[in-house]
Amino acid sequence: MADAAPRRFRILLPVLAMLSAFAPLSIDMYLPSFPLLTQAFHTDASRVQLTLSAFLLGFGFSPLVYGPLADRFGRRPVLLGAAVLYIVASALCAVATDIEHLIALRFLQALGAGAGPVIVRAIIRDLYTHEEAARTMSLMMVIVGAAPMLAPSIGGILLVEFGWRSIFWVLSGFGLVCIVLVQLALRESLPAQFRRPLAFKSTLGSYASLLTNARYLGFVLTGSLLFAGMFAYLSGSPFVFIELFGVSERFYGVLFALNVGGMVLMATVNSRLVRRHGPRKMLKAGVVIVALTGIVLLIVGFSGANSLPVVVASLFPLFCALSLVAPNATASALQDFPHMAGTASALAGALQFGLGALTGALVGVWHDGTALPMMVTVGLCALASATLYLVLVVRRERRMPTRR
């Protein structure tokens, strides 16, 4: 399958990108409403930030279920079932009456949203070789990049014009559109002969084999810790930009789009250069940028710099590096597991969003009205990402050369 990817698959890239956009839309569209939600529900910032952590926790847990299900029943039926759950949960979020209900419903919404990215990665692994998979994921990031680039601005407009509840009604409608597109444009990519039996013991065994594979963990944690830093930014930035620096909800969307624009630009660069240089060289370049940016973020955070331009400029390179690290690390992690791509992709997603939930909650608990919690948490995640890549991948491969 991987060596004979059909040309029609290129037509499906926008559809696959939309299925991968559940998380960025569900997270980024309602970020401008954070300060307003504290007033609407008569609560504090840390409780509102738990709505993000609850989503990330559910989004991280759900792939552990969806991966084995997709390897057993195929990619398409699992996608459809999860999309129905997402539609219902989003509608319930729109009518939530208190912050506790919204936190719980965000977790349920995430359970529905979690199938998209993990199954899309498995579909790409079904159809493409290592280099082409990395290139395809980069191209998809270019398309998916439109979601976080536009979502905060759209959310800000909906917030001002129709109130925060309208954001969740729009998300519910997005889920319905995805169901229609899956029905019309997506064929099953997993042949019947490659489907794995669904057994609790074998599933745990598969996860155990992945967790004890240092090469797999090295690639996955390199990307996951970088995403965790991004989620710390998502959790803290509405309060830092809107409350601390006094920017409007709409201008917050512009600042957010600036970072996403860097991601899209570098994803385009990566998609063009990865064929020539390979995923590993592009990944190494991204890790170098991540390490240097992590140091800068810690310096800015501990220095107490409360300047909007300084904060924005110091974060920008990290978002650019994300597009070099994420697709190449993911493709490299899944390279050795064609027989259980769904399970391997699921565990990668669980680690990514589980760490994201942790850092998002940490920023909320640490919230002190300054940029320090956000900047230091993001910087530490960046340094941890680069360090684990060196320890678990580079050093081990020097001792025991493996396929690159």
Side-chain angles (χ1 to χ4, degrees):
M1 289 287 292
D3 292 329
R7 292 183 181 274
R8 66 171 178 80
F9 187 66
R10 297 180 184 275
I11 302 174
L12 299 180
L13 277 179
V15 177
L16 296 177
M18 288 186 67
L19 294 171
S20 297
F22 278 115
L25 286 177
S26 301
I27 294 171
D28 303 339
M29 193 176 287
Y30 93 123
L31 287 178
S33 70
F34 270 26
L36 181 61
L37 288 176
T38 61
Q39 303 171 22
F41 289 123
H42 306 289
T43 187
D44 55 29
S46 63
R47 299 287 287 175
V48 172
Q49 285 170 320
L50 282 179
T51 64
L52 175 60
S53 293
F55 184 91
L56 296 177
L57 188 63
F59 202 83
F61 168 77
S62 60
L64 297 176
V65 177
Y66 289 129
L69 287 176
D71 284 342
R72 170 62 182 88
F73 298 107
R75 318 306 190 195
R76 196 169 178 272
V78 178
L79 276 173
L80 290 171
V84 171
L85 176 59
Y86 178 83
I87 292 170
V88 174
S90 297
L92 291 175
C93 285
V95 297
T97 56
D98 56 57
I99 192 65
E100 286 75 20
H101 285 150
L102 184 59
I103 291 170
L105 289 169
R106 285 285 287 172
F107 181 83
L108 185 64
Q109 184 191 36
L111 294 181
V118 65
I119 295 180
V120 165
R121 288 195 297 266
I123 290 172
I124 292 173
R125 182 60 187 85
D126 290 340
L127 299 173
Y128 280 100
T129 58
H130 183 203
E131 288 76 12
E132 283 299 313
R135 180 174 181 271
T136 302
M137 288 181 188
S138 290
L139 288 172
M140 198 170 64
M141 283 187 69
V142 174
I143 303 174
V144 174
M149 185 180 294
L150 299 175
S153 296
I154 295 174
I157 294 172
L158 290 172
L159 179 66
V160 172
E161 299 296 333
F162 305 105
W164 68 267
R165 298 181 188 275
S166 65
I167 296 171
F168 290 101
W169 286 120
V170 170
L171 291 174
S172 185
F174 175 78
L176 182 60
V177 171
C178 286
I179 284 184
V180 173
L181 291 175
V182 169
Q183 290 280 31
L184 294 177
L186 186 63
R187 299 180 188 176
E188 183 56 59
S189 65
L190 183 66
Q193 64 269 28
F194 291 151
R195 299 185 185 183
R196 297 164 55 85
L198 187 62
F200 182 72
K201 185 176 181 180
S202 65
T203 298
L204 287 180
S206 297
Y207 285 135
S209 67
L210 291 169
L211 287 171
T212 55
N213 187 305
R215 174 184 167 89
Y216 171 83
L217 277 181
F219 288 122
V220 168
L221 290 176
T222 297
S224 295
L225 283 164
L226 195 52
F227 270 106
M230 183 185 71
F231 291 134
Y233 164 82
L234 295 178
S235 180
S237 62
F239 296 100
V240 171
F241 291 160
I242 296 175
E243 290 191 345
L244 178 61
F245 295 131
V247 306
S248 67
E249 288 84 355
R250 295 190 181 186
F251 187 61
Y252 171 79
V254 174
L255 293 175
F256 198 93
L258 176 66
N259 288 326
V260 179
M263 290 173 58
V264 173
L265 176 63
M266 293 308 295
T268 304
V269 171
N270 184 68
S271 68
R272 297 190 176 188
L273 295 182
V274 73
R275 276 183 167 176
R276 183 187 308 171
H277 301 290
R280 293 297 303 279
K281 286 188 177 180
M282 301 303 296
L283 175 57
K284 289 177 182 178
V287 169
V288 170
I289 298 174
V290 166
L292 295 175
T293 305
I295 296 171
V296 171
L297 290 171
L298 291 179
I299 293 173
V300 172
F302 283 118
S303 69
N306 284 325
S307 166
L308 178 62
V310 171
V311 170
V312 171
S314 59
L315 286 164
F316 183 74
L318 195 70
F319 283 84
C320 293
L322 184 64
S323 292
L324 295 178
V325 172
N328 296 308
T330 300
S332 298
L334 301 184
Q335 178 188 7
D336 297 332
F337 304 97
H339 56 293
M340 54 175 179
T343 302
S345 177
L347 182 57
L351 290 171
Q352 174 180 311
F353 286 91
L355 288 171
L358 179 63
T359 57
L362 176 62
V363 171
V365 171
W366 194 5
H367 178 73
D368 62 357
T370 72
L372 176 67
M374 179 184 75
M375 299 297 283
V376 171
T377 303
V378 176
L380 289 175
C381 287
L383 289 180
S385 170
T387 300
L388 286 179
Y389 176 75
L390 290 174
V391 172
L392 293 180
V393 177
V394 176
R395 290 185 61 183
R396 290 184 68 89
E397 287 186 346
R398 286 176 180 173
R399 296 176 185 175
M400 185 182 297
T402 58
R403 181 177 38 149
R404 304 207 176 178

